[in-house]
Amino acid sequence: MSTVEDEAFSHAVTAALMFLPGDRQATPEEVEKATDMAISVVSLKGMTVDRELLAKSLEAKTNVYQEDSAALHNSEGHVPWLADAKGERDWAFWDRYNRYLKTVVGMPPQVVRAIDRSTEEVLGELEDPRRPGRWRRTGLVIGQVQSGKTGQYIGLATKAADAGYRLIVVFAGIHNDLRSQTQLRIDEGLLGFDTQYQLRSDQEGANRKIGVGAMSHVDQLPVASLTNSAEKGDFDRRTAAKANLPIGGFPIVLVVKKHRRIIDYLRTWVTEVHGEADPQTGRKIVRDIPLFVIDDEADNASINTADPDSEPTKINEAIRKLVNSFDKASYVGYTATPFANIYVDSEADHDVLGEDLFPHSFIRALRAPSNYLGPERLFGLRVRDEDEDDIEPLPLVEHVTDTAAWIPDKHKSSWVPSGDLPPSLRQAIHSFVLTCAARRARGQVHKHNSMLVHVTRFTAVQGHVRDQVDDYVRFLSESLRDRYGSASRTCLAELRALWDSNFVPTTEYFPVDEAERLSWDAVAEEIIPALLKFQVKAINGAAKDILDYYENRHKGLSIIAIGGEKLSRGLTLEGLSVSYYLRASKTYDTLLQMGRWFGYRPGYEDLCRLYTTPTLESAYAEITAATDELRRDVEEMSVLGLTPREFGLKVRTSSLGLAITAANKMRQGTRVRLSYSGELPETTIFNLQDGTPRNNLDNLRSFAGTLTSLSAPEVDPKSGSLTWKNVPPEIVAAGFFDRYQAAKEAHRVRPKFIADYVRKCAAYGELTDWTVRVVGVKSRQLAGTVDNAGTVDIAGHSVALVTRQESGRKTAGRHTIKRVLSPRDESIDLEEGQKERALAATKKAAEGSKRRDGSPRNPTTATGTPLRFQRRPDQPLLLIYPLARPKSTDTTDQVPLVGFAVSFPFSKRQIKTEYVVNDVWWKQGADLDIEEEDDE
């Protein structure tokens, strides 16, 4: 579409949204009526729009939904205030931002309402800025990578300004370009003016109004900033020397890098101007100006990575000094990878700095909207809740296996990539060409397009890669423009083959309209115009290239960005469609943050591609499961009424809480104290080599023989399952867990750790009365044949093997399944009263949540934490699953696999087993990749 057509369509969407209900999902009839009304409105301005496209756009917006957030609270010292304040104060900053999101950004109404709710909930967790006396609130908001956290915290900042917070400081990463990008978003959403040209809203120069300030019929609200969106617009010493804005009459908003000197300049300025000496310490304290700190990417640089017995790291110290310089202060961290934040020592109390930045007041987990292309949709997710379906991965991942000679996994900063680009990278560039052409053919002519190439952390090597990619792009362009040469025909033939074999079947997988199922001729016509816009840029500390999306917002950029660290933390690549990613790291937070390909891809989800290695794809699938489990833990723990400190202790001492962040960020975990209290460790990864299957089957038979010598098993007549009751703990620990061999990749299941935990609990009178069940399945008669996967002899009984769905990620010598537990099995040993209470608690935990299709969840089976909360401390359950081998196994040895799941009750004593991580955990296979400092 042309710019004029874009403007008309934007006006029509804005008008239509005004005719849709603001408090609920619109019906199809209401969408139709709003479409007609909008067409009538824009026709009065002499504009015309395509009715079908408008109706489709509105339908897409109204079909988007977002679940409510869940939170853990600590109300100690907190005075509820927001209910009264909502009717007493003017919420002008929020009102215009709310309107901006709906009418200018075009955000779906349901999502805007969700932002309104969640920001109100977070604001209510903070203290009333008008409350007298000294107070402090610290919290954490967990979002997802590229899911809209910035837009959410800008909404929170507008409400904080309305409520009366007078100094709002946003910490925005550790690089200038991310700080600049965040400042621009603040300019548009909160300030309403371009900070490169103005300091405050009441200055002359209406042409400098942007975002919320540029909308028609809006008030220019009193607000100012001492930082600006230029690359060097941070709060430096010169800014502090020239700053003459009084704080208190209206909000001052600052966007600063996480740099010790900059934070110190800010603290010194505000305390010198507005502070008064504390009679006890002599330090200057700001008494009557409420401070609100938003710490974006709060797990990066803000965490104290020093030994707890020594002085804290400089940035952590600077942030704590700033917060402690105010009598009235609220701090909220935002992150998609909260592992390091939860590892913060909740009891730290420095002589000078006081408490650390642990989120004592609240932890809130945000759900992403349904139109978010996140890790679950890209890599799939095996859901532990029987009431939900597993999420199958989208067919957007392409495997890369041909880069060892070009750039090895382990290389130095002096490495020069050898030879030509590997075929996989050439194909990725071809994919980007086709994606840009296809978006143009769909009318997305003036939209940004980006491709990410992240293959090394060294800036010098990135420079070589940039030159190689640029050479290849120029070769493609020259070849395709030479219409009479053979090179043009060859290139077009390669592009068409990729379109037909890859893009056409992938688009068929998506529910796109017929109009979006493009013909090759329509795409081919746009290839050269798309390719001519390409720019190849190196984005790192040594390169001068910048991503000037804002300056080119009207015509759109097409960028191939070559980078590393700068592209892996917070920086948004607008219109990112193709990613080529080889950078290995085995810590959850690092890998997730590098996933710039997550986000919103309206109208081109089916065109997106991720080129990466099979190993990295498997790692992302594991991380996806771990982060989903953490969010579910927050939801379940909130139902149980746990405080953030109790939740932090649970995660820090949990069997599921390791190998998830760099060692220096979990310094408290150098000596790790593990607890399986209230958890369900289960095996999903199986080693098929080194005789492991045979060892584990022999172990099971020996264990069953020991159990039978104590008492005969109960045999389930329906399934053939064998159950032993009243089994002593040492029999379970020594007879099963001590001898079981787990796959080294199974970071979250360590049989020897489990055995130690069992023994420690037993010494205190817990885990003393085990139920052990070897789970079989009932054979089904199908067309006169018996449908099963075989049987195995256990303690003289023939047990039918259980089958489990493979995860879809195949690795030689390893078998991975979605999960081993059948949720109904976990309650087989409970008494009737326990079952009833467990199901009631499971239903309560599900209240307000929805299935993936938006329908309300109504679980019929007790599962998860609510179930284990009903177990007595002496009542654990061990479920052992003899599993059929996968048919694809490349071996003649078809010994059944042995998997297990343990349903542990909550310990009354919170018994933990201590390990030295370096000596035990890592040697047993955690295999963390602790990277050196980047040189960029």
Side-chain angles (χ1 to χ4, degrees), residues 17 61 100-112 115:
L17 291 174
K61 289 180 183 297
Y100 174 72
L101 292 179
K102 290 177 179 176
T103 62
V104 178
V105 179
M107 191 172 284
Q110 292 269 71
V111 176
V112 178
I115 290 175

Side-chain angles (χ1 to χ4, degrees), residues 46 92 127 181 215 232 257 334 348 393 424 502 523 525 579 617 621 642-643 661 667 676 681 733 735 779 830 906 912:
E127 217 55 55
Q181 184 184 80
M215 295 188 298
K232 296 182 179 180
K257 269 200 318 290
Y334 275 77
S424 59
N502 189 301
V523 175
E525 188 176 335
S579 300
E617 184 189 20
L642 267 67
T643 65
T661 190
R667 181 75 65 176
Y676 287 89
S779 299
L830 297 184
F906 280 84
K912 307 174 187 71

Side-chain angles (χ1 to χ4, degrees), residues 695-717:
N695 172 84
N696 287 338
L697 180 60
D698 290 345
N699 176 45
L700 170 57
R701 284 174 167 157
S702 173
F703 179 50
T706 301
L707 296 177
T708 303
S709 69
L710 299 176
S711 65
E714 296 177 9
V715 181
D716 187 323

Side-chain angles (χ1 to χ4, degrees), residues 27 72 74 219 290 331 395 406 428 537 803 817 857 859 889 900 904:
T27 65
L72 305 169
N74 179 9
D219 295 329
Y331 168 96
W406 179 59
K537 295 189 174 188
T803 58
I817 60 177
R857 287 178 55 209
T889 303
F900 69 82
F904 279 108

Side-chain angles (χ1 to χ4, degrees), residues 821-873:
L821 178 81
S822 175
R824 294 183 184 278
D825 293 342
E826 195 181 357
S827 59
I828 58 104
D829 64 322
L830 297 184
E831 299 161 2
E832 286 305 313
Q834 289 178 307
K835 289 181 181 179
E836 291 172 4
R837 292 191 296 273
L839 180 57
T842 303
K843 287 179 176 291
K844 183 178 179 182
E847 285 178 2
S849 61
K850 299 176 180 178
R851 295 172 179 267
R852 301 287 171 180
D853 61 3
S855 62
R857 287 178 55 209
N858 183 28
T860 57
T861 301
T863 59
T865 301
L867 182 152
R868 294 188 285 282
F869 202 71
Q870 298 302 321
R871 289 189 174 279
R872 297 189 307 273

Side-chain angles (χ1 to χ4, degrees), residues 618-905:
S618 295
Y620 272 108
E622 295 295 324
I623 294 165
T624 300
T627 51
D628 180 74
E629 184 166 335
L630 182 67
R631 289 188 180 88
R632 288 172 185 269
D633 274 351
V634 171
E635 293 167 2
E636 291 181 343
M637 296 299 103
S638 67
V639 174
L640 297 174
L642 267 67
T643 65
R645 183 178 181 276
E646 289 169 320
F647 177 71
L649 288 173
K650 175 185 183 298
V651 173
R652 246 193 332 275
T653 61
S654 163
S655 62
L656 309 185
L658 294 180
I660 56 183
T661 190
N664 63 351
K665 289 185 182 178
M666 41 187 289
R667 181 75 65 176
Q668 290 300 106
T670 302
R671 299 188 67 83
V672 177
R673 293 168 63 80
L674 289 179
S675 171
Y676 287 89
S677 174
E679 293 192 358
L680 184 91
E682 60 176 310
T683 48
T684 57
I685 304 173
F686 299 88
N687 179 21
L688 302 179
Q689 300 175 323
D690 307 321
T692 299
R694 171 64 64 183
N695 172 84
N696 287 338
L697 180 60
D698 290 345
N699 176 45
L700 170 57
R701 284 174 167 157
S702 173
F703 179 50
T706 301
L707 296 177
T708 303
S709 69
L710 299 176
S711 65
E714 296 177 9
V715 181
D716 187 323
K718 294 181 179 179
S719 65
S721 298
L722 310 176
T723 303
W724 291 266
K725 295 182 179 179
N726 309 118
V727 179
E730 183 57 30
I731 297 292
V732 174
F736 185 75
F737 290 119
D738 277 349
R739 301 176 183 177
Y740 186 93
Q741 293 182 1
K744 72 172 185 177
E745 299 88 355
H747 303 314
R748 297 152 74 186
V749 179
R750 284 282 171 263
K752 286 183 171 54
F753 291 2
I754 294 174
D756 289 350
Y757 177 72
V758 170
R759 291 185 174 102
K760 229 163 212 190
C761 288
Y764 287 97
E766 296 187 344
L767 305 185
T768 55
D769 191 8
W770 284 77
T771 296
V772 178
R773 185 178 178 93
V774 176
V775 182
V777 294
K778 182 180 180 181
S779 299
R780 294 178 297 155
Q781 294 296 132
L782 293 175
T785 63
V786 177
D787 173 39
N788 63 29
T791 60
V792 63
D793 181 75
I794 303 293
H797 298 270
S798 181
V799 179
L801 298 179
V802 173
T803 58
R804 289 290 183 260
Q805 186 177 357
E806 292 187 65
S807 67
R809 297 176 296 279
K810 295 180 173 59
T811 304
R814 193 174 77 185
H815 177 53
T816 306
I817 60 177
K818 291 178 177 291
R819 73 175 313 186
V820 74
L821 178 81
S822 175
R824 294 183 184 278
D825 293 342
E826 195 181 357
S827 59
I828 58 104
D829 64 322
L830 297 184
E831 299 161 2
E832 286 305 313
Q834 289 178 307
K835 289 181 181 179
E836 291 172 4
R837 292 191 296 273
L839 180 57
T842 303
K843 287 179 176 291
K844 183 178 179 182
E847 285 178 2
S849 61
K850 299 176 180 178
R851 295 172 179 267
R852 301 287 171 180
D853 61 3
S855 62
R857 287 178 55 209
N858 183 28
T860 57
T861 301
T863 59
T865 301
L867 182 152
R868 294 188 285 282
F869 202 71
Q870 298 302 321
R871 289 189 174 279
R872 297 189 307 273
D874 66 339
Q875 191 185 17
L877 170 68
L878 170 60
L879 296 163
I880 302 174
Y881 292 86
L883 300 169
R885 288 286 282 265
K887 295 180 180 179
S888 58
T889 303
D890 52 352
T891 176
T892 56
D893 183 6
Q894 291 301 307
V895 173
L897 305 177
V898 176
F900 69 82
V902 190
S903 182
F904 279 108

Side-chain angles (χ1 to χ4, degrees), residues 51-63:
R51 188 188 188 284
E52 185 178 344
L53 284 178
L54 178 59
K56 185 175 71 173
S57 175
L58 292 177
E59 185 180 342
K61 289 180 183 297
T62 55
N63 281 340

Side-chain angles (χ1 to χ4, degrees), residues 55 192 239 303-304 353 469 538 649 748 934:
T239 307
I303 301 298
N304 178 24
L353 301 176
V469 170
L649 288 173
R748 297 152 74 186
D934 287 346

